[in-house]
């Protein structure tokens, strides 16, 4: 399906989460001198005008970049992302918002390579034009790269991963962000990543996904946790309580395979502030989960008969959290000469949950609860932020208009476009 156009959703809360994390991934990759390849499976148009008909029809940027534009007391980790957005708006007026290709072009170095894929015929033409303008501007500034730095293809990014991995430099950052218009997109993402990890296990893979009521969305993170990556990190941002009809995008997530070791601590420091600024009601919150690959006896349990076991070595997002153990709760070590208790038939037990939950209260305190994902709730009081001629922005969230060849109300609201 090619009806999705990200111009209707550019700059919303899902874009803020995705591009903020993307900037951090580039900064981490840039710490080594060796070049790397950036692969964007669903690139979109690259740049979006927030005063366009599509953007103003839904006004979704008011759930994301809008409240951040003049915010004060911004966490250090968010500043590179906000600086990038403001750099493409030198007049000081918020008119343009970058897609992931623009973020990658600005954050990567001259020796790094960008491989961009887009299926929509109109968006791929706009992407070509935006990249041409960006390269011409860099040439005027005396910046030139050896060889073709950015290559754009009108094609399926899922299939293209197979021919690009492993990259010549043996370093890669891959962003996977389909529209999720159809249920098959969830399966395609998982299958593509499983194949990519088989070809290039050490690559860094970032996946954006919507948090919706549909079963495919709810089960998606657990399926990604079973992929053969050494480590994983899952962060979600919810800005409001979903309505009774389940329509609209209120929450989204970024799932990173082989994440930077610095990412978890940075998110713990930054996500509470994002929830404060972007949250619309008491349902605003964030979650952070981290874990390691399922190995050994646990892996065998997943493949064979028996009750469902925890996915990986999930742990709560806490400064005191340790690496834990792959041994299941209540499971004793098998000594030499003893029979493995797993070989003895036992009645099926309820499926245990992974990780631990951390609930952030309005007074700033936190309470850890076992056996649930790490969850954060921000204080209801927002930091001071200028909005136009002064005064706070309205707290009521905007909702997109019903889509007729344009934006959808229940599907993807913040793609990698």
């Amino acid at each position: 399906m090619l009806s999705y156009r990200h111009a209707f959703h550019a700059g919303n809360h899902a874009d803020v989460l995705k591009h903020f994390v993307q900037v951090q991934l580039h900064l981490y990759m840039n710490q080594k001198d060796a070049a790397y390849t950036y692969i964007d499976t669903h690139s979109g148009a690259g740049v979006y005008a927030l005063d366009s008909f599509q953007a103003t029809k839904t006004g979704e940027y008011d759930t994301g970049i809008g409240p951040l534009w003049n915010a004060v007391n911004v966490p250090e980790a968010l500043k590179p992302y906000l600086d990038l957005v403001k750099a493409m708006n030198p007049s000081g007026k918020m008119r343009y918002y970058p897609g992931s290709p623009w973020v990658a072009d600005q954050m990567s170095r001259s020796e790094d390579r960008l491989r961009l894929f887009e299926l929509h015929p109109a968006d791929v033409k706009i992407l070509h034009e935006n990249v041409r303008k960006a390269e011409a501007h860099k040439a005027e500034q005396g910046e030139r790269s050896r060889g073709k730095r950015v290559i754009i293809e009108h094609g399926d990014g899922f299939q293209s991963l197979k021919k690009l991995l492993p990259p010549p430099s043996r370093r890669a950052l891959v962003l996977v962000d389909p529209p999720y218009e159809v249920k098959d997109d969830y399966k395609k993402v998982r299958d593509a990543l499983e194949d990519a990890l088989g070809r290039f296990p050490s690559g860094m893979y970032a996946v954006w996904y919507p948090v919706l009521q549909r079963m495919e969305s709810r089960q998606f993170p657990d399926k990604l946790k079973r992929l053969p990556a050494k480590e994983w990190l899952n962060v979600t941002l919810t800005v409001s309580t979903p309505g009774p009809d389940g329509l609209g995008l209120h929450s989204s997530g970024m799932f990173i395979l082989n994440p930077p070791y610095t990412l978890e601590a940075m998110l713990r420091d930054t996500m509470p502030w994002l929830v404060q600024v972007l949250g619309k009601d008491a349902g605003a919150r964030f979650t952070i989960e981290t874990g390691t690959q399922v190995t050994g006896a646990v892996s065998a349990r997943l493949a064979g008969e028996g009750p469902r076991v925890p996915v990986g070595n999930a742990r709560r997002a806490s400064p005191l959290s340790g690496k834990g153990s792959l041994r299941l709760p209540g499971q004793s070590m098998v000594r030499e000469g003893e029979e493995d208790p797993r070989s003895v038939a036992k009645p099926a037990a309820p499926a245990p949950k992974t990780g631990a939950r951390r609930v952030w209260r309005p007074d700033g305190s936190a309470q850890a609860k076992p056996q649930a994902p790490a969850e954060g709730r921000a204080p209801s009081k927002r930091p001071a932020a200028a909005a136009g001629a002064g005064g706070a922005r309205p707290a009521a969230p905007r909702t997109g208009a019903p889509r007729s060849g344009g934006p959808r109300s229940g599907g993807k609201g913040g793609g990698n476009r």
Side-chain angles (χ1 to χ4, degrees):
M1 295 179 66
L2 296 175
S3 59
Y4 179 83
R5 302 296 299 278
H6 188 64
F8 289 94
H9 313 287
N12 67 4
H13 60 88
D15 268 2
V16 169
L17 174 65
K18 177 182 54 196
H19 294 140
F20 157 53
V21 172
Q22 182 188 351
V23 166
Q24 291 298 319
L25 300 183
H26 281 290
L27 290 173
Y28 181 80
M29 296 290 286
N30 293 346
Q31 292 179 16
K32 288 187 178 180
D33 293 335
Y36 63 90
T37 299
Y38 169 80
I39 303 172
D40 200 327
T41 62
H42 298 78
S43 298
V47 177
Y48 302 93
L50 297 181
D51 56 0
S52 67
F53 165 76
Q54 295 95 328
T56 56
K57 183 177 181 180
T58 60
E60 289 193 21
Y61 53 84
D62 270 344
T63 71
I65 190 60
L68 299 183
W69 188 253
N70 292 311
V72 296
N73 300 322
V74 178
E76 286 297 322
L78 268 174
K79 290 180 179 179
Y81 158 70
L82 289 176
D83 289 345
L84 184 150
V85 179
K86 291 187 176 184
M88 64 189 309
N89 295 276
S91 67
K93 182 180 179 181
M94 188 176 63
R95 292 191 59 200
Y96 299 104
Y97 186 81
S100 53
W102 184 274
V103 173
D105 182 61
Q106 298 300 305
M107 296 304 302
S108 58
R109 305 158 302 181
S110 60
E111 63 267 29
D112 303 321
R113 297 294 180 259
L114 279 62
R115 301 296 179 257
L116 313 177
F117 300 89
E118 176 54 46
L119 267 176
H120 199 288
D123 277 353
V124 75
K125 290 181 180 179
I126 300 173
L127 179 62
H128 272 286
E129 182 63 15
N130 285 328
V131 169
R132 184 192 66 78
K133 291 179 180 179
E135 291 183 334
H137 177 73
K138 287 186 176 183
E140 291 175 357
Q141 306 300 317
E143 298 181 29
R144 297 183 182 276
S145 61
R146 293 181 298 176
K148 189 67 174 176
R149 181 172 180 268
V150 182
I151 297 179
I152 304 171
E153 289 190 27
H154 180 200
D156 186 345
F158 288 132
Q159 297 297 321
S160 301
L161 277 176
K162 297 180 178 180
K163 64 181 181 181
L164 293 176
L165 297 177
S169 64
R170 294 303 191 269
R171 299 187 71 213
L173 170 58
V174 180
L175 181 59
V176 182
D177 179 23
Y180 298 98
E181 286 186 299
V182 293
K183 297 179 180 179
D184 285 351
D185 278 347
Y186 295 93
K187 184 178 185 302
K188 287 180 178 179
V189 170
R190 189 209 171 279
D191 292 347
L193 289 173
E194 185 173 39
D195 181 81
L197 286 165
R199 297 172 184 272
F200 189 49
S202 61
M204 188 182 298
Y205 303 89
V207 182
W208 179 90
Y209 65 96
V211 179
L212 304 173
Q213 298 300 314
R214 62 167 56 175
M215 183 177 297
E216 293 80 12
S217 177
R218 295 198 306 267
Q219 296 177 344
F220 190 55
D222 278 347
K223 292 183 178 180
L224 295 183
K225 293 171 189 176
R226 291 182 169 86
L227 289 171
K230 185 177 180 181
E231 294 184 350
W232 54 263
L233 182 148
N234 183 36
V235 55
T236 67
L237 171 64
T238 302
V239 297
S240 62
T241 304
D245 56 6
L247 300 178
L249 183 70
H250 308 276
S251 180
S252 67
M254 283 290 283
F255 196 102
I256 300 95
L257 300 164
N258 300 324
Y261 72 94
T262 56
L263 187 59
E264 180 185 350
M266 183 274 297
L267 290 172
R268 284 202 309 268
D269 293 338
T270 309
M271 294 303 295
W273 188 90
L274 271 180
V275 174
Q276 289 178 14
V277 177
L278 302 184
K280 301 299 183 182
D281 58 30
R285 64 189 186 277
F286 71 92
T287 66
I288 301 172
E289 290 180 289
T290 59
T292 56
Q293 180 183 3
V294 180
T295 58
V298 178
S299 179
R301 285 285 293 275
L302 284 174
E305 304 271 341
R308 184 169 176 262
V309 298
V311 180
N313 181 22
R315 64 182 184 270
R316 67 182 180 181
S318 165
L320 302 178
S321 61
K323 295 187 177 298
S325 169
L326 287 177
R327 184 158 50 92
L328 300 177
Q331 177 185 1
S332 59
M333 299 296 293
V334 181
R335 296 185 176 88
E336 183 176 357
E338 291 184 355
E339 183 179 10
D340 189 340
R342 291 173 297 164
S343 63
V344 181
K346 294 182 179 179
K353 299 177 182 178
T354 58
R357 183 172 61 185
R358 190 170 179 85
V359 181
W360 291 81
R361 302 179 182 278
D363 61 2
S365 62
Q367 178 181 0
K369 296 183 178 181
Q371 307 302 328
E375 181 173 332
R377 175 169 296 179
S380 58
K381 183 178 180 182
R382 291 179 160 200
R393 289 184 173 269
R398 294 202 183 192
T399 56
R403 177 169 180 172
S404 176
R408 292 188 304 115
S409 59
K412 174 180 177 180
N416 158 32
R417 308 305 177 102

